[in-house]
Amino acid sequence: MDTDYILHRVLRGIASWAVSSFFTEIRVIGGEKVPANGPIIVTATHHNMMLDPAILSSSFPYLRILHFWSKASLFVNPILSKVMYSTGNIPVDRKNKDRKALFRGTTEELSHGSAVALFPEGTSYTEPRIMQVKEGAAWAALEYNKWTSENPDRAPNEPLLIVPCAIVYTNKSKYRSYAIMEFGDPINTASFLEQFIDGDENSQRASVKLLTRTIEARLVELTINAPDWDTLYAARMARDLLWENQESLDRDEFVSVSQTLVDLFTTTDAIPNFQAMRCSLVEYYSILQSAQLTNSVLSSLPLPRTLDPHQPVPLPSRLFTLLILIRDSLACLIRLPFFIIPLIVHSPAYAMSRLGARLVIDEEESQAQNKILFGMFLLMLIYPTAFVVMWAFLWFTPIGAILSATCVWLFALYHNTLIHDNYEHMKRVAAAWRVLIGVWAPKKWEYSLTALSQYTATPIPPANQWITNNNGASGNSVTSEPPVSPHPHRPRRPRSGRVMRHVLRARAEAVRSLASFITQLETGPEKKRVRASVHLARLYGGIESPTGSSDATSGAAVAPPTVVGWRHAREVVSYLRTRGAKIATLERGIEVEWAAQNSDGDLSSAEDRDSASLSSTS
């Protein structure tokens, strides 16, 4: 019974505190689709190690107890077995070839009307799309349905439902980013049961594959899937430029907007100069990653009033960057007296978190986990120490213990309340200082284009050895790209004085290219079409064109025909605009005009090219 899972509730409380301290918000979408009672199997995406089960358990609707699979060998010891059961785990012996015995624990929990949570991808990984969905969840569901048909007197009244769940992160390794947990429409497994019960082994496998493809298709609809890293990075960069303030993009629309942009950058024939436009976005994204900057932080530097792609864009002047630094520093210093004590107390935890992330620098899916674990380790020392010290001042009285515990709890709450705003302002001050150094430094300090290339190379994470299906999600409408080799370990952060002008130029080029791209889509032919994921094409009136065919004569499961979705280009632009995108001119006021040229009189890269072309024609 749920009342027996004491350790599960304790761990869920700790997980809730940990993830709410790391993320600014955990947005739950579609919680009303999850049944409050009855047997369910939750199939969740798994792209952020321990944070996925932590978020799933702590934010699950109705706080239902979730049962996860664990190795059967952990249940051999009687004491450890009690601990595992108390945390809600189910023993599974993966070496057992008898499927009925393999899923016995799962069937037993489902027969009690419980909720079982699985990660059907089989491993946590960092890829631009869902790479694989394994068949374990489908086998467990159909084996349970078979058991209920054989034991109707012992089965609950509610039918078994599979609830797809996508856990998406705005930036999964970054502190104070956002997590989005969205539930899709439940899958009723009854329609897959007849073939499974009445058929032979091949028919059972076909039924399992069909259910697995259904689960995969639902997960694809709830997540962001790109055919390759360049497409994903271009879409991310476009999103950051169109919504410079991450708060302005509604988290309920985050996945659909991101997928729309991915689809847009999959349409390689959208405009004549598509590849050059996408390269400018990817280059800006890569150099930002290398410099450890974000476009939202640099957005304090206003762009020119017009974003005509044929007009050169100068760099900011020395005086202007100095004023920006003074402005952001004053804004940060005003808040500092209210935050200085929490900052000092928590600084060891911040330092340990950074150390934990560096230990797994090439494993993005492990960085947030390490940050939280290393930071929690320090906080587990800091908070009890603060409690004991305060209690000692109150002479170790019972009332003193209550007051000390309350003060420590309020202090932690105070820190979590103020950290987001102060953290953002500190990042802006650091960025403003680095921009000032870059603009004031002599031009001869700049990296040459050859030296700069190491910082503009597309960052590709190493492949995960546990991914067995390299073709990606079968339900994805985009064509899978051939596997690529990851780049070697990225160099250390470049010096601000040598790279910052390149960053600013890349930003101007990316904005001009994006503005030109969207303008061409909006003013182009009325019937112009762009690529769209199938579920978005269905939702927004796109046209689907099935290609290929399936062999329905054999009993074995076959892949369904590939379906390609389309949306009209003007409708896509209108879709983005209605969701707050700053189209073309970015539709925002300009705080201060940029200088006609920077302090050394050098031009942007666009001006250099224009000047060269003028010289060649004269």
Side-chain angles (χ1 to χ4, degrees):
M1 299 298 292
D2 283 358
T3 54
D4 298 329
Y5 301 113
I6 305 300
L7 282 180
H8 181 97
R9 299 176 190 278
V10 172
L11 292 176
R12 186 172 64 188
I14 296 175
S16 178
W17 169 65
V19 296
S20 62
S21 298
F22 186 84
F23 295 104
T24 301
E25 179 192 6
I26 300 173
R27 176 68 61 87
V28 178
I29 305 172
E32 70 281 356
K33 299 177 182 179
V34 179
N37 301 290
I40 60 173
I41 294 179
V42 183
T43 54
T45 55
H46 194 22
H47 302 153
N48 211 357
M49 297 298 283
M50 290 176 58
L51 267 66
D52 293 327
I55 290 175
L56 186 62
S57 297
S58 61
S59 302
F60 197 75
Y62 314 110
L63 290 181
R64 293 189 63 174
I65 300 294
L66 297 180
H67 301 267
F68 296 91
W69 285 352
S70 296
K71 292 182 179 179
S73 58
L74 298 175
F75 293 78
V76 175
N77 184 285
I79 298 177
L80 184 57
S81 177
K82 289 183 179 294
V83 173
M84 295 300 291
Y85 279 118
S86 183
T87 54
N89 288 279
I90 300 172
V92 175
D93 183 6
R94 291 178 173 84
K95 297 180 181 179
N96 197 326
K97 301 301 182 181
D98 182 359
R99 287 192 292 269
K100 190 173 183 179
L102 177 64
F103 298 114
R104 182 176 292 116
T106 305
T107 299
E108 182 179 353
E109 290 297 342
L110 292 174
S111 67
H112 295 153
S114 300
V116 175
L118 306 176
F119 297 103
E121 292 170 278
T123 184
S124 180
Y125 59 89
T126 299
E127 291 289 343
R129 60 190 180 274
I130 290 180
M131 297 297 293
Q132 63 184 16
V133 174
K134 297 192 173 183
E135 299 175 351
W139 277 111
L142 294 177
E143 285 290 346
Y144 168 78
N145 279 341
K146 182 179 179 180
W147 176 87
T148 58
S149 65
E150 298 170 350
N151 303 271
D153 55 324
R154 298 171 56 188
N157 296 326
E158 301 89 349
L160 172 65
L161 298 176
I162 296 180
V163 181
C165 173
I167 305 174
V168 178
Y169 304 88
T170 57
N171 194 331
K172 66 182 181 181
S173 63
K174 295 300 182 183
Y175 182 53
R176 306 312 295 171
S177 56
Y178 295 86
I180 303 165
M181 183 167 66
E182 183 173 3
F183 296 95
D185 295 326
I187 303 170
N188 193 326
T189 57
S191 59
F192 302 87
L193 185 59
E194 182 177 355
Q195 182 182 12
F196 185 82
I197 293 179
D198 299 335
D200 56 9
E201 179 71 15
N202 288 335
S203 297
Q204 288 186 344
R205 292 186 180 277
S207 182
V208 167
K209 289 183 181 296
L210 182 59
L211 179 55
T212 301
R213 283 203 299 267
T214 304
I215 295 171
E216 183 178 16
R218 297 290 177 86
L219 292 178
V220 167
E221 292 177 5
L222 299 171
T223 52
I224 305 166
N225 294 272
D228 55 73
W229 284 111
D230 279 357
T231 301
L232 181 63
Y233 291 153
R236 284 181 182 176
M237 198 67 260
R239 186 187 64 213
D240 290 347
L241 289 170
L242 295 172
W243 287 271
E244 288 184 336
N245 181 2
Q246 61 179 348
E247 304 286 345
S248 62
L249 177 57
D250 187 356
R251 251 78 68 190
D252 288 0
E253 303 279 358
F254 180 84
V255 173
S256 58
V257 166
S258 299
Q259 188 61 53
T260 296
L261 290 170
V262 166
D263 295 338
L264 200 57
F265 288 101
T266 306
T267 312
T268 55
D269 59 347
I271 59 174
N273 59 336
F274 176 84
Q275 292 298 339
M277 178 275 303
R278 193 172 77 161
C279 284
S280 67
L281 292 173
V282 174
E283 181 177 326
Y284 180 40
Y285 178 88
S286 300
I287 198 171
L288 283 179
Q289 295 294 307
S290 299
Q292 299 177 19
L293 290 167
T294 63
N295 183 71
S296 62
V297 171
L298 291 179
S299 63
S300 59
L301 298 173
L303 290 167
R305 189 176 300 280
T306 59
L307 290 177
D308 185 345
H310 302 292
Q311 293 297 321
V313 178
L315 299 179
S317 67
R318 289 179 172 179
L319 176 60
F320 176 70
T321 53
L322 180 61
L323 293 176
I324 289 291
L325 175 62
I326 294 174
R327 183 200 67 182
D328 288 346
S329 298
L330 290 177
C332 190
L333 289 174
I334 291 174
R335 293 167 171 79
L336 190 60
F338 302 97
F339 189 65
I340 185 65
I341 295 178
L343 178 64
I344 293 174
V345 171
H346 289 83
S347 56
Y350 296 150
M352 282 294 291
S353 296
R354 290 177 62 87
L355 174 62
R358 289 176 181 174
L359 296 178
V360 287
I361 190 66
D362 292 325
E363 300 176 18
E364 187 180 355
E365 65 272 15
S366 300
Q367 292 179 21
Q369 167 189 275
N370 279 24
K371 287 179 181 179
I372 291 179
L373 291 178
F374 279 62
M376 283 181 60
F377 174 76
L378 258 295
L379 292 179
M380 290 297 182
L381 300 177
I382 293 172
Y383 286 164
T385 301
F387 168 77
V388 171
V389 170
M390 292 184 65
W391 194 17
F393 276 105
L394 298 174
W395 301 286
F396 295 106
T397 60
I399 296 179
I402 296 174
L403 290 175
S404 299
T406 302
C407 288
V408 171
W409 177 77
L410 290 175
F411 183 78
L413 185 63
Y414 179 76
H415 167 266
N416 288 346
T417 302
L418 294 183
I419 182 60
H420 181 71
D421 191 50
N422 284 274
Y423 182 61
E424 290 298 320
H425 276 84
M426 285 189 288
K427 287 196 300 183
R428 288 186 180 277
V429 170
W433 172 252
R434 294 177 63 187
V435 170
L436 180 69
I437 293 175
V439 172
W440 281 55
K443 186 179 180 181
K444 62 182 180 181
W445 287 10
E446 286 186 22
Y447 285 117
S448 65
L449 294 180
T450 303
L452 183 69
S453 61
Q454 63 181 317
Y455 301 111
T456 57
T458 305
I460 299 178
N464 188 308
Q465 61 177 331
W466 301 109
I467 296 177
T468 57
N469 177 17
N470 289 325
N471 293 325
S474 61
N476 201 345
S477 66
V478 294
T479 304
S480 300
E481 293 289 323
V484 291
S485 301
H487 289 292
H489 182 70
R490 294 183 68 83
R492 297 183 63 181
R493 192 181 79 181
R495 294 181 179 179
S496 299
R498 306 192 66 183
V499 78
M500 196 53 62
R501 282 198 181 98
H502 291 294
V503 172
L504 296 175
R505 292 186 186 116
R507 178 172 183 255
E509 294 282 356
V511 171
R512 271 205 321 276
S513 297
L514 181 61
S516 175
F517 175 51
I518 295 179
T519 299
Q520 291 181 64
L521 291 179
E522 197 168 25
T523 59
E526 184 178 355
K527 299 299 183 180
K528 173 68 177 179
R529 297 173 184 173
V530 294
R531 201 76 174 268
S533 297
V534 174
H535 62 285
L536 292 176
R538 290 193 181 115
L539 192 59
Y540 295 103
I543 300 172
E544 300 169 30
S545 304
T547 59
S549 61
S550 59
D551 183 8
T553 60
S554 63
V558 293
T562 302
V563 179
V564 179
W566 297 92
R567 295 168 68 177
H568 291 296
R570 291 188 180 182
E571 180 272 323
V572 171
V573 175
S574 175
Y575 171 89
L576 297 174
R577 189 187 299 278
T578 56
R579 280 149 184 81
K582 304 303 182 184
I583 301 293
T585 61
L586 304 188
E587 298 176 356
R588 60 181 172 85
I590 303 300
E591 299 170 14
V592 182
E593 290 288 349
W594 282 17
Q597 57 186 12
N598 75 3
S599 54
D600 289 330
D602 59 317
L603 304 175
S604 71
S605 54
E607 290 175 288
D608 290 336
R609 288 198 298 268
D610 292 344
S611 299
S613 62
L614 287 174
S615 299
S616 62
T617 57
S618 61

